[in-house]
Amino acid sequence: MSIRISLRNLSDTPMPAGFGLHPYFPATPWTHIQADVTGMWETDAQVLPTRHVSPPAGADPTTGFDVAEAAFDTVFTGWTRRARITWPDEERLLDIEAEAQLDFLVLYTPPGEPFFCAEPVSNVTDAFNRLDEDTGCMVLAPGESRSASVRFMPSQTV
């Protein structure tokens, strides 16, 4: 499945913008995610980014982790725009590939819930208030458009 997102500024003034997908996936005790990243934003109680750090040992998407073992609502940076989710207990997997513009990955892994999110997005949370940092916020000129696609490729494992 491929989903294309498009955004156009219909205003006569510049517009800050960002976009992304927020798919939910089933979580079992063994659901595993792997995605190459270089960093992440720690967040405060309001889930706003506070500082950029390295991913924690044991829950680093680059080496992969079981979603039941981590509690994230976090934006990861340096994402290569590829992720793999596996459900070994169900012998299936899902590869996700995103196009440029969707250069950040949000992982939402709420403890004890039967779901989680792996969200390709164009910017970090609160990017509009962090324009002086590398947050992915884009500013569209009047009439300007941006778009990107995400592909979801399921298969069976052996």
Side-chain angles (χ1 to χ4, degrees), residues 41 129-137:
W41 281 93
N129 292 314
R130 297 175 154 295
L131 295 176
D132 59 329
E133 301 175 61
D134 183 18
T135 61
C137 181

Side-chain angles (χ1 to χ4, degrees), residues 50-114:
T50 56
R51 71 183 182 119
H52 192 257
V53 298
S54 296
D60 182 343
T62 297
T63 55
F65 65 91
D66 292 342
V67 298
E69 300 298 318
F72 283 127
D73 192 351
T74 305
V75 178
F76 289 87
T77 60
W79 182 43
T80 61
R81 297 188 301 274
R82 293 176 181 261
R84 173 169 280 180
I85 302 168
T86 56
W87 293 268
D89 51 321
E90 299 173 4
E91 297 181 346
R92 60 188 175 104
L93 65 82
L94 179 70
D95 285 318
I96 301 171
E97 291 181 1
E99 291 183 348
Q101 296 292 320
L102 301 173
D103 296 330
F104 299 87
L105 180 67
V106 174
L107 293 179
Y108 175 54
T109 57
E113 296 294 342

